[in-house]
Amino acid sequence: MRDLRKGGWDVYGYNRSPRTVAAAQRGGFDVSGDLAATLQRAEQDRALVVIGVPVPALPVMLEAIATHAPTVGFTDVSSVKVEVHDLVEQAGLTDRFVGGHPMAGTANSGWDATLSGLFDSAVWVITYDNAKTVGDPGAELWLDTWRRTIQLAEAVGAAVVPTVARRHDAAVARVSHLPHVLAEALAVTGDVGGPLALTLAAGSFRDGTRVAGTEPALVRAMCENNRAALVKALDETLALLHQAREDIAAQEQDIHRLATEGHAARMRFEARAGRSSKDTPHRPVIRVQPGAPGWVEQLNSAESMGAQIGIF
Amino acid sequence: MRDLRKGGWDVYGYNRSPRTVAAAQRGGFDVSGDLAATLQRAEQDRALVVIGVPVPALPVMLEAIATHAPTVGFTDVSSVKVEVHDLVEQAGLTDRFVGGHPMAGTANSGWDATLSGLFDSAVWVITYDNAKTVGDPGAELWLDTWRRTIQLAEAVGAAVVPTVARRHDAAVARVSHLPHVLAEALAVTGDVGGPLALTLAAGSFRDGTRVAGTEPALVRAMCENNRAALVKALDETLALLHQAREDIAAQEQDIHRLATEGHAARMRFEARAGRSSKDTPHRPVIRVQPGAPGWVEQLNSAESMGAQIGIF
């Protein structure tokens, strides 16, 4: 809301917490505690609705949208996408839904935790599982929702990357959920070493355990909603660690293999992250025309490169 | 050398690389490429010798010390201590050796990589495996070496923590070597996700893989020289990860257990790290009198608390 208003957008919202509503209103924002009224107003305005609730709260929210905003498009910002798409389909709302996942956030919540510029240069994933092409039934509403979701992400400075839900969930299991599980295990193993180990701990332990500082409930929610993909990623890591364990114990010095592969992988990540940093504004962008013949193939191709897209 | 000279110490050195010697000399430092002459000078001056070579180069260096500096004390700065103590014992030099491990460094080497202030507020481990008490044969030289090693560490701003070699190696396996192995495995697993996964990778992956950027040869050297302790720590982590994997797969939501324990462990680390940061100069210090009756029990007690020591 902060960044959109700064960008000149007409933005208003609903929150179930009276404290949050009061704090937002004191900050001069147009926020209400009446869900039905807010959704009716969105329907009236032909607004794009953005849902930002935990996955377990989604069914109730989808029902409210079906009832009070029966014809406008909507998107979400959840960190998993398969389960969200399934719930949207069960609610019969697929034709006007585009999934979203801004890859930015903090461990804090509530109005006081809001901040400007959070999404600047961040990746904002947008799903295209239910993509329509001009001429398909309902294409106009869905394509309008897709365009407006991209405009929303771009308005707050994010880089839009298209994926299908399943591949999004597989990717974040590897690069977001797995790091949390490893950090927890490292924190516990270090702690078992007692005061001496914690005194000797320096940078490698500090960095390796940082996300173990995340609220346990948030970590649990991540893992619960992406079980299959996380188990697959964790099994791969376990296989690598078992091999390393055997190599170290067998005195074959073959930890060299994992160390070499790990080093090369980190270098590829750094090269890639460098390209998408604020310091390098010339990120390659693939331009697509939503709904044009062949556009889904373009999205597939952008996804396979992890490329940013823009719209004509 | 930089920090000791700044502190008014008379410091000179040897390096086997002519380029490093020339660079140090250009910087105004008293550095030679003649090992025998440098050790003879140290013997003449009753200097404290500080060895800073990789473990595989240690036997040759110990032989040179036995030959050219036959009666002065020496210490080292290696990241493992059991193997170093074993090699020193094999060389018959135990009576004038105190093991050291400053917990600070960078991934770089050579004269250009030297920097002032590297050890400021860092922990500097000093071993007491072969501690002597006043009256023991050879106590004077060994106790003098111990005092001077502590003075050296304190002169560059470090906090001295006493350990025996075996417990040092067990602790660094948990908080230094294990984090490297986990970072390598995470980097590889993320990379297998391809361009999309690397594009979606943000802070948790960046921090969790940072030390995978370490030169593979250095990681290999760490693991090689601390096999038994690293395998034990790795086995504990593997057990935690297997349990988490089963809990996630079984939909019992028991990742909550690991997340809760990991969070608590990280909080304990942060509380501890906070006490030893530059911001909190009032770190508790246990003062010992080297060689006094009962002083080894004092060191045991300091070690079990991971406490800093000072000398009367």
Side-chain angles (χ1 to χ4, degrees):
Chain A
M1 290 188 81
R2 291 188 185 282
D3 288 341
L4 289 174
R5 193 172 69 169
K6 206 178 285 176
W9 286 47
D10 178 20
V11 55
Y12 50 91
Y14 153 84
N15 194 278
R16 65 170 184 162
S17 155
R19 282 187 56 190
T20 296
V21 171
Q25 286 173 345
R26 276 197 304 275
F29 286 87
D30 185 356
V31 173
S32 158
D34 185 337
L35 178 57
T38 306
L39 286 172
Q40 284 155 9
R41 179 177 168 192
E43 174 76 12
Q44 194 82 29
D45 291 347
R46 312 299 309 150
L48 173 71
V49 175
V50 182
I51 310 178
V53 298
V55 172
L58 210 52
V60 170
M61 195 56 63
L62 294 173
E63 200 183 311
I65 287 174
T67 306
H68 302 294
T71 70
V72 295
F74 67 102
T75 184
D76 80 316
V77 295
S78 308
S79 63
V80 291
K81 298 268 69 76
V82 171
E83 186 157 353
V84 171
H85 269 274
D86 287 350
L87 290 169
V88 169
E89 193 174 344
Q90 284 161 32
L93 303 175
T94 301
D95 284 357
R96 52 190 177 107
F97 172 67
V98 171
H101 180 202
M103 308 295 295
T106 73
N108 308 317
S109 56
W111 182 258
D112 291 344
T114 63
L115 49 100
S116 285
L118 178 63
F119 305 108
D120 192 26
S121 298
V123 166
W124 193 305
V125 170
I126 293 190
T127 60
Y128 62 96
D129 294 61
N130 38 345
K132 294 182 187 294
T133 299
V134 172
D136 289 348
E140 201 176 336
L141 175 58
W142 191 87
L143 289 168
D144 182 59
T145 305
W146 165 270
R147 282 180 186 276
R148 292 170 76 178
T149 302
I150 291 185
Q151 286 159 359
L152 170 85
E154 290 177 344
V156 297
V160 174
V161 173
T163 74
V164 295
R166 185 177 51 78
R167 288 194 291 262
H168 165 276
D169 285 8
V172 296
R174 289 177 189 277
V175 298
S176 175
H177 303 165
L178 176 64
H180 281 80
V181 176
L182 295 182
E184 308 286 7
L186 175 59
V188 171
T189 309
D191 190 50
V192 169
L196 179 64
L198 294 185
T199 289
L200 301 194
S204 63
F205 188 76
R206 182 181 306 279
D207 286 356
T209 61
R210 186 185 59 85
V211 294
T214 309
E215 277 303 318
L218 287 180
V219 177
R220 184 176 174 176
M222 277 181 191
C223 298
E224 268 175 35
N225 293 305
N226 199 14
R227 287 178 195 280
L230 177 54
V231 166
K232 182 174 186 312
L234 191 47
D235 281 347
E236 288 181 28
T237 298
L238 281 166
L240 291 167
L241 293 175
H242 274 290
Q243 185 62 54
R245 190 255 183 237
E246 294 312 311
D247 290 342
I248 296 165
Q251 311 212 357
E252 282 168 16
Q253 310 189 348
D254 270 0
I255 183 71
H256 191 56
R257 182 168 49 186
L258 179 60
T260 304
E261 287 172 5
H263 183 260
R266 169 72 190 189
M267 294 300 108
R268 279 191 286 275
F269 166 66
E270 285 182 10
R272 195 155 189 95
R275 280 210 302 282
S276 55
S277 78
K278 294 179 192 185
D279 304 331
T280 51
H282 302 297
R283 188 205 304 260
V285 174
I286 294 177
R287 302 236 160 247
V288 298
Q289 194 171 346
W295 85 293
V296 173
E297 286 68 30
Q298 274 188 297
L299 296 177
N300 267 315
S301 157
E303 178 181 357
S304 70
M305 294 184 280
Q308 183 180 348
I309 59 164
I311 48 181
F312 284 113
Chain B
M1 289 186 82
R2 292 187 184 282
D3 288 341
L4 289 174
R5 193 171 70 170
K6 206 178 285 177
W9 286 47
D10 178 20
V11 55
Y12 49 91
Y14 153 83
N15 194 278
R16 65 169 184 161
S17 155
R19 280 187 57 187
T20 296
V21 171
Q25 287 174 345
R26 275 197 305 275
F29 286 87
D30 186 355
V31 173
S32 158
D34 186 334
L35 178 58
T38 305
L39 287 172
Q40 284 154 11
R41 179 176 168 193
E43 175 75 15
Q44 194 82 29
D45 292 347
R46 312 298 310 148
L48 173 71
V49 176
V50 182
I51 310 179
V53 299
V55 172
L58 210 52
V60 170
M61 195 56 63
L62 294 174
E63 201 185 310
I65 287 174
T67 306
H68 302 293
T71 69
V72 296
F74 67 102
T75 185
D76 79 315
V77 294
S78 308
S79 63
V80 293
K81 297 270 69 75
V82 170
E83 186 157 354
V84 171
H85 269 274
D86 287 349
L87 290 169
V88 169
E89 193 174 344
Q90 284 161 32
L93 303 176
T94 301
D95 282 358
R96 52 190 178 108
F97 173 67
V98 172
H101 180 202
M103 309 295 294
T106 73
N108 307 317
S109 57
W111 183 258
D112 290 344
T114 64
L115 48 102
S116 285
L118 177 63
F119 304 108
D120 192 27
S121 298
V123 165
W124 193 306
V125 171
I126 293 191
T127 61
Y128 62 96
D129 295 62
N130 38 345
K132 295 184 186 294
T133 299
V134 172
D136 289 347
E140 202 176 334
L141 174 58
W142 191 87
L143 290 169
D144 182 59
T145 305
W146 165 271
R147 280 180 187 278
R148 291 169 76 179
T149 303
I150 290 184
Q151 285 159 0
L152 169 85
E154 290 177 346
V156 297
V160 175
V161 173
T163 73
V164 295
R166 184 176 52 78
R167 288 194 290 263
H168 165 276
D169 286 7
V172 296
R174 289 179 188 277
V175 298
S176 175
H177 303 165
L178 177 64
H180 280 81
V181 176
L182 294 182
E184 308 287 7
L186 176 58
V188 171
T189 308
D191 190 50
V192 169
L196 179 65
L198 295 185
T199 290
L200 301 193
S204 62
F205 187 76
R206 181 180 307 278
D207 287 357
T209 61
R210 185 184 60 83
V211 293
T214 309
E215 277 303 318
L218 288 180
V219 177
R220 183 176 174 176
M222 277 181 190
C223 299
E224 268 175 36
N225 293 306
N226 200 14
R227 287 178 196 281
L230 178 54
V231 165
K232 182 174 186 311
L234 192 46
D235 281 345
E236 288 181 28
T237 298
L238 281 166
L240 291 168
L241 292 176
H242 275 292
Q243 185 62 53
R245 190 258 184 233
E246 294 312 311
D247 290 343
I248 297 165
Q251 312 213 354
E252 281 169 15
Q253 311 190 348
D254 269 1
I255 182 70
H256 190 57
R257 181 169 49 186
L258 178 60
T260 304
E261 288 172 5
H263 184 259
R266 169 73 191 187
M267 294 300 108
R268 279 191 286 274
F269 166 66
E270 286 181 12
R272 195 153 191 97
R275 279 210 304 282
S276 53
S277 78
K278 295 179 192 183
D279 305 330
T280 52
H282 303 296
R283 187 204 306 260
V285 174
I286 294 176
R287 302 236 160 247
V288 298
Q289 193 170 347
W295 85 293
V296 173
E297 286 68 30
Q298 274 188 298
L299 296 177
N300 268 314
S301 157
E303 178 181 357
S304 70
M305 291 184 283
Q308 181 181 349
I309 59 165
I311 49 181
F312 285 113

